C-alpha cells in the first residue's frame, strides 16, 4: 500500500510517544552529531522499526523516498564522507 500523510504522521507520533526512544540521536547525546554515521544508522533504525509495523507501509523503496532526512549525500559507490551532515 502507499504511505499517506496520515500513516506517516502516525509513525512519527508513535516514535515521539515512546518514553525510551531518544530521537533524533544527535539531539539526545553528545556521542553523536549530525556528521556521525552511527547516529544516522541509529535514527534510520528507530524510524524503520516503527515504519514497517504500520499496515500501509510495505515498500522499502517508499520508505527510503519518504525518510525525513533534510540533507543527505553519498559519494560515488555509497561511501559516507566526513563532510556530510543530516537532519531529521
Amino acid at each position: 500500500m502507499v504511505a499517506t500523510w496520515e500513516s506517516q504522521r502516525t509513525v512519527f507520533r508513535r516514535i515521539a510517544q515512546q518514553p525510551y526512544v531518544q530521537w533524533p540521536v544527535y539531539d539526545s547525546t553528545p556521542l553523536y552529531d549530525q556528521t556521525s554515521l552511527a547516529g544516522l544508522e541509529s535514527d534510520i533504525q528507530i524510524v524503520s522499526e516503527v515504519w514497517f509495523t504500520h499496515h500501509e507501509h510495505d515498500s522499502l523503496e517508499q520508505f527510503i523516498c519518504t525518510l525525513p532526512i533534510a540533507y543527505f549525500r553519498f559519494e560515488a559507490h555509497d561511501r559516507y564522507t566526513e563532510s556530510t551532515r543530516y537532519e531529521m
Side-chain angles (χ1 to χ4, degrees):
M1 297 181 94
V2 176
T4 63
W5 183 85
E6 187 67 32
S7 69
Q8 293 174 43
R9 191 174 101 190
T10 300
V11 166
F12 292 103
R13 183 174 285 155
R14 283 185 197 158
I15 292 170
Q17 292 173 343
Q18 293 176 357
Y20 58 90
V21 172
Q22 298 292 322
W23 183 83
V25 288
Y26 60 77
D27 280 345
S28 63
T29 177
L31 299 175
Y32 301 125
D33 64 12
Q34 291 177 311
T35 63
S36 170
L37 180 57
L40 176 64
E41 290 172 349
S42 179
D43 283 338
I44 291 174
Q45 182 179 6
I46 289 167
V47 176
S48 66
E49 286 175 356
V50 178
W51 182 270
F52 290 107
T53 61
H54 196 283
H55 70 278
E56 291 185 12
H57 302 162
D58 57 5
S59 167
L60 181 59
E61 181 179 356
Q62 188 175 35
F63 169 71
I64 292 168
C65 292
T66 310
L67 195 61
I69 299 179
Y71 178 72
F72 188 68
R73 188 187 80 219
F74 281 110
E75 294 297 328
H77 308 293
D78 292 338
R79 290 178 298 141
Y80 188 77
T81 62
E82 292 298 322
S83 63
T84 298
R85 294 177 58 85
Y86 77 100
E87 182 176 344
M88 291 243 177

